[in-house]
Amino acid sequence: MKFLSVRDLKTKSSQVWAELPEQKEMIVTSNGRPIALLSSIDENNLEQTLTAFRRARATHALSSIQYDSIQKGTDKISMDEINAEIGATRSKRKK
């Protein structure tokens, strides 16, 4: 996978767009850190690509939430504790 800086993206954009279909993906970096993913698509696979990307992002978000829950120990609370927390939050909203 090819990495390119924001500067390269600005100064060599025509070269980047020409290479992208062959590369399939490129990582854009800023100060050496990845900040964006460029992915090759066309009108035939646009919807499928967007759906796959959104699913992957949702799966990642869920994994992060589960990891945080394990780190905080909240993965072991009972349904009664969950319902009590929901009830307390709803009571605060009504006020």
Side-chain angles (χ1 to χ4, degrees):
M1 185 173 310
K2 186 171 182 171
F3 287 74
L4 65 140
S5 68
V6 172
R7 181 181 304 173
D8 289 340
L9 183 57
K10 288 179 185 177
T11 60
K12 302 175 184 177
S13 61
S14 60
Q15 180 183 344
V16 170
W17 302 136
E19 291 178 9
L20 188 57
E22 183 182 321
Q23 290 287 328
K24 302 291 185 212
E25 291 102 16
M26 292 182 183
I27 303 295
V28 181
T29 62
S30 178
N31 296 320
R33 293 185 168 168
I35 60 164
L37 169 68
L38 295 178
S39 181
S40 173
I41 60 171
D42 62 41
E43 63 269 5
N44 295 324
N45 68 3
L46 174 61
E47 288 301 321
Q48 294 143 328
T49 301
L50 284 173
T51 298
F53 179 75
R54 289 172 179 154
R55 283 184 183 156
R57 194 165 49 188
T59 299
H60 176 71
L62 180 58
S63 294
S64 294
I65 291 167
Q66 289 172 332
Y67 178 80
D68 289 347
S69 177
I70 291 167
Q71 294 301 306
K72 293 176 184 174
T74 55
D75 61 320
K76 295 179 176 66
I77 62 175
S78 69
M79 282 306 295
D80 289 337
E81 291 170 308
I82 293 170
N83 288 329
E85 186 69 29
I86 291 169
T89 301
R90 287 180 177 164
S91 293
K92 288 178 186 176
R93 285 185 188 167
K94 288 180 183 179
K95 293 180 182 180

